[in-house]
mmCIF file of all heavy atoms in Angstrom:
data_model
loop_
_atom_site.group_PDB
_atom_site.id
_atom_site.type_symbol
_atom_site.label_atom_id
_atom_site.label_comp_id
_atom_site.label_asym_id
_atom_site.label_seq_id
_atom_site.Cartn_x
_atom_site.Cartn_y
_atom_site.Cartn_z
ATOM 1 N N ILE A 29 14.432 -8.504 16.585
ATOM 2 C CA ILE A 29 13.055 -8.441 17.075
ATOM 3 C C ILE A 29 12.414 -9.788 16.817
ATOM 4 O O ILE A 29 12.363 -10.252 15.680
ATOM 5 C CB ILE A 29 12.255 -7.310 16.364
ATOM 6 C CG1 ILE A 29 12.956 -5.992 16.604
ATOM 7 C CG2 ILE A 29 10.828 -7.290 16.832
ATOM 8 C CD1 ILE A 29 12.468 -4.864 15.686
ATOM 9 N N THR A 30 11.938 -10.417 17.874
ATOM 10 C CA THR A 30 11.392 -11.784 17.733
ATOM 11 C C THR A 30 9.916 -11.817 18.174
ATOM 12 O O THR A 30 9.462 -10.946 18.903
ATOM 13 C CB THR A 30 12.188 -12.781 18.592
ATOM 14 O OG1 THR A 30 12.027 -12.426 19.990
ATOM 15 C CG2 THR A 30 13.654 -12.763 18.234
ATOM 16 N N GLY A 31 9.220 -12.818 17.679
ATOM 17 C CA GLY A 31 7.817 -13.023 18.082
ATOM 18 C C GLY A 31 6.819 -12.807 16.927
ATOM 19 O O GLY A 31 5.611 -12.925 17.136
ATOM 20 N N LEU A 32 7.342 -12.527 15.735
ATOM 21 C CA LEU A 32 6.415 -12.174 14.624
ATOM 22 C C LEU A 32 6.549 -13.156 13.433
ATOM 23 O O LEU A 32 5.889 -12.953 12.424
ATOM 24 C CB LEU A 32 6.679 -10.755 14.152
ATOM 25 C CG LEU A 32 6.315 -9.702 15.189
ATOM 26 C CD1 LEU A 32 6.877 -8.332 14.755
ATOM 27 C CD2 LEU A 32 4.794 -9.619 15.364
ATOM 28 N N LYS A 33 7.352 -14.208 13.556
ATOM 29 C CA LYS A 33 7.499 -15.143 12.470
ATOM 30 C C LYS A 33 6.167 -15.782 12.131
ATOM 31 O O LYS A 33 5.394 -16.176 13.009
ATOM 32 C CB LYS A 33 8.493 -16.244 12.874
ATOM 33 C CG LYS A 33 8.761 -17.236 11.721
ATOM 34 C CD LYS A 33 9.776 -18.306 12.147
ATOM 35 C CE LYS A 33 10.012 -19.259 10.991
ATOM 36 N NZ LYS A 33 10.989 -20.318 11.376
ATOM 37 N N GLY A 34 5.905 -15.903 10.827
ATOM 38 C CA GLY A 34 4.681 -16.564 10.330
ATOM 39 C C GLY A 34 3.500 -15.609 10.170
ATOM 40 O O GLY A 34 2.473 -16.002 9.585
ATOM 41 N N HIS A 35 3.614 -14.373 10.674
ATOM 42 C CA HIS A 35 2.489 -13.422 10.559
ATOM 43 C C HIS A 35 2.552 -12.690 9.224
ATOM 44 O O HIS A 35 3.658 -12.293 8.752
ATOM 45 C CB HIS A 35 2.541 -12.395 11.688
ATOM 46 C CG HIS A 35 2.110 -12.974 12.987
ATOM 47 N ND1 HIS A 35 0.825 -13.215 13.307
ATOM 48 C CD2 HIS A 35 2.837 -13.311 14.101
ATOM 49 C CE1 HIS A 35 0.727 -13.709 14.551
ATOM 50 N NE2 HIS A 35 1.944 -13.786 15.032
ATOM 51 N N SER A 36 1.392 -12.458 8.628
ATOM 52 C CA SER A 36 1.324 -11.631 7.422
ATOM 53 C C SER A 36 1.475 -10.188 7.849
ATOM 54 O O SER A 36 1.105 -9.784 8.964
ATOM 55 C CB SER A 36 0.043 -11.866 6.700
ATOM 56 O OG SER A 36 -1.060 -11.489 7.501
ATOM 57 N N TYR A 37 2.003 -9.363 6.897
ATOM 58 C CA TYR A 37 2.169 -7.937 7.189
ATOM 59 C C TYR A 37 2.006 -7.106 5.914
ATOM 60 O O TYR A 37 2.215 -7.629 4.812
ATOM 61 C CB TYR A 37 3.495 -7.655 7.877
ATOM 62 C CG TYR A 37 4.769 -7.896 7.102
ATOM 63 C CD1 TYR A 37 5.321 -6.881 6.307
ATOM 64 C CD2 TYR A 37 5.431 -9.146 7.123
ATOM 65 C CE1 TYR A 37 6.497 -7.112 5.595
ATOM 66 C CE2 TYR A 37 6.582 -9.361 6.424
ATOM 67 C CZ TYR A 37 7.107 -8.343 5.644
ATOM 68 O OH TYR A 37 8.274 -8.570 4.941
ATOM 69 N N LEU A 38 1.639 -5.853 6.123
ATOM 70 C CA LEU A 38 1.577 -4.912 5.053
ATOM 71 C C LEU A 38 2.863 -4.106 5.075
ATOM 72 O O LEU A 38 3.197 -3.506 6.118
ATOM 73 C CB LEU A 38 0.368 -3.990 5.235
ATOM 74 C CG LEU A 38 -0.986 -4.670 5.284
ATOM 75 C CD1 LEU A 38 -2.096 -3.659 5.530
ATOM 76 C CD2 LEU A 38 -1.254 -5.445 4.032
ATOM 77 N N ASP A 39 3.590 -4.094 3.982
ATOM 78 C CA ASP A 39 4.896 -3.457 3.892
ATOM 79 C C ASP A 39 4.740 -2.100 3.201
ATOM 80 O O ASP A 39 4.610 -2.006 1.995
ATOM 81 C CB ASP A 39 5.847 -4.346 3.096
ATOM 82 C CG ASP A 39 7.273 -3.850 3.129
ATOM 83 O OD1 ASP A 39 7.506 -2.750 3.608
ATOM 84 O OD2 ASP A 39 8.196 -4.594 2.733
ATOM 85 N N GLN A 40 4.726 -1.034 4.021
ATOM 86 C CA GLN A 40 4.533 0.296 3.473
ATOM 87 C C GLN A 40 5.689 0.695 2.575
ATOM 88 O O GLN A 40 5.488 1.436 1.588
ATOM 89 C CB GLN A 40 4.375 1.328 4.605
ATOM 90 C CG GLN A 40 4.079 2.735 4.089
ATOM 91 C CD GLN A 40 3.643 3.693 5.146
ATOM 92 O OE1 GLN A 40 2.922 3.274 6.063
ATOM 93 N NE2 GLN A 40 4.024 4.928 5.067
ATOM 94 N N VAL A 41 6.879 0.253 2.855
ATOM 95 C CA VAL A 41 8.049 0.587 2.010
ATOM 96 C C VAL A 41 7.865 0.013 0.619
ATOM 97 O O VAL A 41 8.390 0.559 -0.383
ATOM 98 C CB VAL A 41 9.346 0.060 2.682
ATOM 99 C CG1 VAL A 41 10.556 0.357 1.799
ATOM 100 C CG2 VAL A 41 9.523 0.736 4.015
ATOM 101 N N ALA A 42 7.122 -1.082 0.500
ATOM 102 C CA ALA A 42 6.846 -1.710 -0.791
ATOM 103 C C ALA A 42 5.409 -1.447 -1.219
ATOM 104 O O ALA A 42 4.702 -2.367 -1.734
ATOM 105 C CB ALA A 42 7.102 -3.199 -0.734
ATOM 106 N N SER A 43 4.912 -0.205 -1.007
ATOM 107 C CA SER A 43 3.575 0.199 -1.460
ATOM 108 C C SER A 43 2.481 -0.672 -0.832
ATOM 109 O O SER A 43 1.510 -1.058 -1.546
ATOM 110 C CB SER A 43 3.505 0.224 -2.972
ATOM 111 O OG SER A 43 4.438 1.081 -3.544
ATOM 112 N N PHE A 44 2.640 -1.008 0.405
ATOM 113 C CA PHE A 44 1.658 -1.779 1.200
ATOM 114 C C PHE A 44 1.439 -3.190 0.647
ATOM 115 O O PHE A 44 0.397 -3.759 0.756
ATOM 116 C CB PHE A 44 0.341 -1.049 1.283
ATOM 117 C CG PHE A 44 0.390 0.203 2.095
ATOM 118 C CD1 PHE A 44 0.483 1.419 1.506
ATOM 119 C CD2 PHE A 44 0.331 0.158 3.490
ATOM 120 C CE1 PHE A 44 0.581 2.621 2.255
ATOM 121 C CE2 PHE A 44 0.418 1.323 4.249
ATOM 122 C CZ PHE A 44 0.512 2.547 3.629
ATOM 123 N N ALA A 45 2.477 -3.742 0.021
ATOM 124 C CA ALA A 45 2.415 -5.127 -0.442
ATOM 125 C C ALA A 45 2.184 -6.046 0.745
ATOM 126 O O ALA A 45 2.723 -5.825 1.831
ATOM 127 C CB ALA A 45 3.689 -5.501 -1.137
ATOM 128 N N SER A 46 1.385 -7.111 0.558
ATOM 129 C CA SER A 46 1.123 -8.087 1.593
ATOM 130 C C SER A 46 2.214 -9.168 1.522
ATOM 131 O O SER A 46 2.451 -9.772 0.500
ATOM 132 C CB SER A 46 -0.259 -8.708 1.352
ATOM 133 O OG SER A 46 -0.510 -9.669 2.402
ATOM 134 N N LYS A 47 2.875 -9.406 2.691
ATOM 135 C CA LYS A 47 3.949 -10.369 2.785
ATOM 136 C C LYS A 47 3.761 -11.219 4.024
ATOM 137 O O LYS A 47 2.893 -10.915 4.848
ATOM 138 C CB LYS A 47 5.287 -9.646 2.801
ATOM 139 C CG LYS A 47 5.568 -8.768 1.613
ATOM 140 C CD LYS A 47 6.935 -8.098 1.699
ATOM 141 C CE LYS A 47 7.231 -7.186 0.516
ATOM 142 N NZ LYS A 47 8.547 -6.532 0.606
ATOM 143 N N THR A 48 4.579 -12.219 4.153
ATOM 144 C CA THR A 48 4.573 -13.077 5.344
ATOM 145 C C THR A 48 5.962 -13.099 5.921
ATOM 146 O O THR A 48 6.939 -13.249 5.217
ATOM 147 C CB THR A 48 4.129 -14.513 5.013
ATOM 148 O OG1 THR A 48 2.804 -14.470 4.481
ATOM 149 C CG2 THR A 48 4.128 -15.374 6.254
ATOM 150 N N GLU A 49 6.037 -12.883 7.234
ATOM 151 C CA GLU A 49 7.337 -12.870 7.921
ATOM 152 C C GLU A 49 7.937 -14.280 7.975
ATOM 153 O O GLU A 49 7.393 -15.163 8.604
ATOM 154 C CB GLU A 49 7.185 -12.304 9.345
ATOM 155 C CG GLU A 49 8.522 -12.132 10.088
ATOM 156 C CD GLU A 49 9.469 -11.254 9.300
ATOM 157 O OE1 GLU A 49 9.184 -10.049 9.138
ATOM 158 O OE2 GLU A 49 10.519 -11.791 8.815
ATOM 159 N N ALA A 50 9.095 -14.431 7.333
ATOM 160 C CA ALA A 50 9.730 -15.751 7.268
ATOM 161 C C ALA A 50 10.839 -15.883 8.270
ATOM 162 O O ALA A 50 11.271 -17.011 8.578
ATOM 163 C CB ALA A 50 10.265 -15.976 5.858
ATOM 164 N N ASP A 51 11.303 -14.809 8.877
ATOM 165 C CA ASP A 51 12.456 -14.845 9.768
ATOM 166 C C ASP A 51 12.054 -14.955 11.208
ATOM 167 O O ASP A 51 11.113 -14.327 11.677
ATOM 168 C CB ASP A 51 13.312 -13.585 9.571
ATOM 169 C CG ASP A 51 13.911 -13.486 8.180
ATOM 170 O OD1 ASP A 51 14.211 -14.549 7.589
ATOM 171 O OD2 ASP A 51 14.087 -12.355 7.673
ATOM 172 N N GLU A 52 12.792 -15.766 11.956
ATOM 173 C CA GLU A 52 12.618 -15.854 13.369
ATOM 174 C C GLU A 52 12.965 -14.541 14.072
ATOM 175 O O GLU A 52 12.280 -14.140 15.009
ATOM 176 C CB GLU A 52 13.491 -16.993 13.931
ATOM 177 C CG GLU A 52 13.247 -17.355 15.352
ATOM 178 C CD GLU A 52 11.940 -18.091 15.552
ATOM 179 O OE1 GLU A 52 11.671 -18.990 14.756
ATOM 180 O OE2 GLU A 52 11.206 -17.781 16.510
ATOM 181 N N ALA A 53 14.016 -13.898 13.561
ATOM 182 C CA ALA A 53 14.467 -12.644 14.169
ATOM 183 C C ALA A 53 14.521 -11.594 13.057
ATOM 184 O O ALA A 53 15.235 -11.777 12.038
ATOM 185 C CB ALA A 53 15.846 -12.812 14.793
ATOM 186 N N ILE A 54 13.787 -10.484 13.235
ATOM 187 C CA ILE A 54 13.835 -9.374 12.312
ATOM 188 C C ILE A 54 15.050 -8.512 12.610
ATOM 189 O O ILE A 54 15.264 -8.100 13.761
ATOM 190 C CB ILE A 54 12.524 -8.551 12.425
ATOM 191 C CG1 ILE A 54 11.303 -9.419 12.161
ATOM 192 C CG2 ILE A 54 12.586 -7.342 11.486
ATOM 193 C CD1 ILE A 54 10.005 -8.795 12.598
ATOM 194 N N ARG A 55 15.804 -8.172 11.598
ATOM 195 C CA ARG A 55 16.960 -7.286 11.746
ATOM 196 C C ARG A 55 16.768 -6.068 10.862
ATOM 197 O O ARG A 55 16.101 -6.142 9.805
ATOM 198 C CB ARG A 55 18.240 -8.048 11.421
ATOM 199 C CG ARG A 55 18.461 -9.211 12.350
ATOM 200 C CD ARG A 55 19.838 -9.871 12.131
ATOM 201 N NE ARG A 55 20.047 -11.001 13.022
ATOM 202 C CZ ARG A 55 20.425 -10.946 14.256
ATOM 203 N NH1 ARG A 55 20.746 -9.771 14.803
ATOM 204 N NH2 ARG A 55 20.581 -12.033 15.032
ATOM 205 N N ILE A 56 17.396 -4.991 11.237
ATOM 206 C CA ILE A 56 17.188 -3.706 10.552
ATOM 207 C C ILE A 56 18.452 -3.299 9.847
ATOM 208 O O ILE A 56 19.520 -3.138 10.461
ATOM 209 C CB ILE A 56 16.776 -2.608 11.589
ATOM 210 C CG1 ILE A 56 15.433 -2.962 12.160
ATOM 211 C CG2 ILE A 56 16.716 -1.229 10.875
ATOM 212 C CD1 ILE A 56 14.985 -2.081 13.302
ATOM 213 N N SER A 57 18.368 -3.139 8.511
ATOM 214 C CA SER A 57 19.505 -2.660 7.685
ATOM 215 C C SER A 57 19.040 -1.660 6.647
ATOM 216 O O SER A 57 19.842 -1.317 5.755
ATOM 217 C CB SER A 57 20.196 -3.864 7.028
ATOM 218 O OG SER A 57 19.301 -4.599 6.233
ATOM 219 N N ALA A 58 17.770 -1.229 6.709
ATOM 220 C CA ALA A 58 17.208 -0.282 5.783
ATOM 221 C C ALA A 58 15.912 0.212 6.435
ATOM 222 O O ALA A 58 15.565 -0.238 7.518
ATOM 223 C CB ALA A 58 16.961 -0.941 4.428
#
């Protein structure tokens, strides 16, 4: 999944921790 690099996001899996997308392409393995 591409187009989201550099955007901040709320990670519900990590108790809504605020993170920043570092990857050009998001891949799913969990």
Side-chain angles (χ1 to χ4, degrees):
I29 301 166
T30 64
L32 293 167
K33 183 179 180 181
H35 286 285
S36 62
Y37 65 91
L38 303 177
D39 189 348
Q40 183 167 324
V41 177
S43 302
F44 292 98
S46 181
K47 301 180 180 181
T48 299
E49 185 56 67
D51 295 328
E52 189 73 43
I54 301 165
R55 298 185 181 277
I56 296 173
S57 58

